[in-house]
Amino acid sequence: VQPGQTKKVKWRGKPIFIRHRTDAEIQAAREVETATLPDPEDDAARVQEGKEKWLVMIGVCTHLGCIPLVDAGEHEGGYFCPCHGSHYDTSGRIRKGPAPKNLEVPEYAFLSDTKIKIG
Ligand code: FES
């Protein structure tokens, strides 16, 4: 998975987005004042320490469950749910639209530099 690419896999019937974030995407996620977000969460709390370039999320919109588009919406390298217009940033946090929560980060662990185990 190259920088700026997202791999999609299925886990327990749900889509999982595994994003190799670019430095610019990480920077954009960290520049935001967390307290101003609809669902305030630091980018650092959504990734693993030392593995900040990897963003692993359940690709299900927290509004009514559509699958958001990758690399779409108002945030470059972010996610957009066209069903009712929810924009998520490069950390998968809701920034605009009806979705109440950030895209969910599942439990996962790195088994090696190139392999993760979800759940
Ligand atoms: Fe995503 Fe409504 S289901 S915005």
Side-chain angles (χ1 to χ4, degrees):
V1 187
Q2 296 301 310
Q5 276 190 340
T6 301
K7 186 178 173 74
K8 296 178 189 172
V9 298
K10 249 197 178 176
W11 175 69
R12 295 186 183 161
K14 293 180 183 161
I16 300 286
F17 296 165
I18 302 166
R19 175 85 175 188
H20 186 172
R21 300 193 297 178
T22 65
D23 290 343
E25 288 166 16
I26 297 168
Q27 198 186 335
R30 299 204 163 194
E31 272 173 355
V32 184
E33 245 200 77
T34 306
T36 64
L37 299 175
D39 179 14
E41 203 178 9
D42 283 330
D43 180 65
R46 296 177 54 77
V47 293
Q48 295 194 4
E49 208 181 329
K51 305 272 189 197
E52 292 81 4
K53 62 185 181 179
W54 295 106
L55 179 66
V56 180
M57 304 186 295
I58 298 177
V60 173
C61 181
T62 60
H63 181 223
L64 293 176
C66 289
I67 299 176
L69 303 171
V70 176
D71 282 317
E74 289 184 356
H75 301 273
E76 201 175 330
Y79 309 82
F80 175 62
C81 182
C83 295
H84 313 92
S86 286
H87 298 259
Y88 296 89
D89 66 14
T90 58
S91 190
R93 295 171 300 193
I94 183 66
R95 300 291 291 272
K96 187 176 169 189
K101 305 289 267 175
N102 302 331
L103 293 176
E104 188 183 340
V105 175
E107 252 185 56
Y108 67 94
F110 280 88
L111 301 181
S112 71
D113 277 348
T114 55
K115 201 181 250 187
I116 63 169
K117 182 180 175 206
I118 300 170

